[in-house]
Amino acid sequence: SAVQSASAVQVGGNVEKLGTASGEQLDGWLGDLIKEVAKREGVSKNPLEFMPSNLGEPFLRRLYDLRTGPLLGDTHNASDDMFCLRKLFLRLGLDASLSLMSPHMLSTLNESNNLTTVPSDTLALWSQSYLVCDLFDKVVVWRGQSSKPSDSPEIELSHLLEQLHAQRFPTPTLVRCTEGSSMARILVSRLNPTHQDSQKDQLATFAALTSPEEKQLISQKYPRTDVFSLAKWLRNL
């Protein structure tokens, strides 16, 4: 929407200033921005109060990705890398800057085994699926341990890479990994850790999770960390 686009520009214009802020200052600023957008949209209630029905709201998700991603979040990147990413973010157009801010993930987790968009959450890490995640500077292809080689989305992947190579600079590198490998941490570290949420919040953010058994399997594979999920972050603003 126009409000979301204006807010993205406002976020972009403050990245340099936010880069020197503390975690509490960042959360306070982003919380005020959420409330201001809710006011502009005519929402009478604080958007943080009608949880979890609004967890899928793209605007809230993008702010969460901004806060936890490589631009402002706690990251393993060197300070020079973060500085370069922030400079690049300010120079990019709106679509490209949003791609840098938020991962875009595709999965074969469907009956046709075609790549479809799924939330960039840890609950999407199903062992029987292939995942393709666009991290702007990298495209990660993740293969679950129970997936079949015949399900590999190579044709769709090649088309996606051709499109990204033609439209994006710097050209993203391709990273292939399997479930449980050390390289898989590149993907897992950029995902919303929904495996730590309550079942109510999990169903609000990832409706494909249809059984407690599936949730338990994924929760057992990935340990609990001190990284806030989207739901917990919004409640603590």
Side-chain angles (χ1 to χ4, degrees):
S1 69
V3 171
Q4 291 183 7
S5 298
S7 299
V9 173
Q10 183 181 356
V11 169
N14 285 278
V15 165
E16 289 297 328
K17 180 179 69 175
L18 293 176
T20 61
S22 67
E24 291 183 358
Q25 289 173 324
L26 286 172
D27 290 337
W29 184 85
L30 293 174
D32 291 341
L33 178 58
I34 291 172
K35 295 171 186 177
E36 177 63 23
V37 170
K39 182 179 179 181
R40 293 185 188 180
E41 293 282 355
V43 179
S44 58
K45 293 176 62 178
N46 185 329
L48 309 184
E49 294 178 0
F50 42 82
M51 302 282 286
S53 60
N54 64 336
L55 288 181
E57 168 59 40
F59 172 71
L60 297 179
R61 181 56 188 260
R62 290 195 188 280
L63 286 184
Y64 169 79
D65 290 334
L66 172 68
R67 174 64 181 90
T68 58
L71 291 171
L72 298 177
D74 298 326
T75 176
H76 58 273
N77 288 340
S79 57
D80 289 346
D81 293 335
M82 294 181 68
F83 178 79
C84 291
L85 284 176
R86 290 169 184 165
K87 287 292 186 182
L88 181 62
F89 178 84
L90 295 175
R91 294 171 54 191
L92 293 172
L94 179 60
D95 291 340
S97 64
L98 291 177
S99 297
L100 177 56
M101 185 191 302
S102 299
H104 180 222
M105 194 155 71
L106 304 167
S107 173
T108 60
L109 192 63
N110 54 73
E111 295 180 358
S112 62
N113 286 328
N114 295 325
L115 286 174
T116 55
T117 300
V118 295
S120 50
D121 299 347
T122 53
L123 289 179
L125 300 173
W126 290 29
S127 294
Q128 62 268 38
S129 68
Y130 280 83
L131 295 174
V132 178
C133 190
D134 179 8
L135 300 177
F136 188 81
D137 60 335
K138 301 181 186 68
V139 174
V140 180
V141 180
W142 181 92
R143 179 175 64 83
Q145 291 180 345
S146 302
S147 61
K148 301 177 182 178
S150 59
D151 295 336
S152 178
E154 289 300 323
I155 296 178
E156 292 178 275
L157 176 61
S158 63
H159 290 165
L160 173 64
L161 291 176
E162 288 178 4
Q163 183 180 18
L164 291 178
H165 286 178
Q167 298 177 352
R168 185 175 297 171
F169 181 82
T171 302
T173 57
L174 179 63
V175 178
R176 293 181 181 270
C177 59
T178 57
E179 181 181 5
S181 67
S182 59
M183 293 294 288
R185 289 181 292 180
I186 296 175
L187 173 62
V188 177
S189 65
R190 290 295 307 276
L191 301 182
N192 175 23
T194 45
H195 66 282
Q196 303 178 163
D197 288 338
S198 66
Q199 187 171 358
K200 183 179 180 181
D201 287 343
Q202 288 174 342
L203 292 175
T205 54
F206 200 86
L209 187 72
T210 56
S211 71
E213 291 77 14
E214 292 164 352
K215 176 230 175 182
Q216 185 176 7
L217 285 174
I218 295 176
S219 297
Q220 290 174 347
K221 292 178 185 177
Y222 301 99
R224 302 184 71 86
T225 67
D226 57 358
V227 178
F228 281 2
S229 67
L230 171 61
K232 189 172 182 180
W233 177 70
L234 288 174
R235 289 195 173 96
N236 283 273
L237 285 176

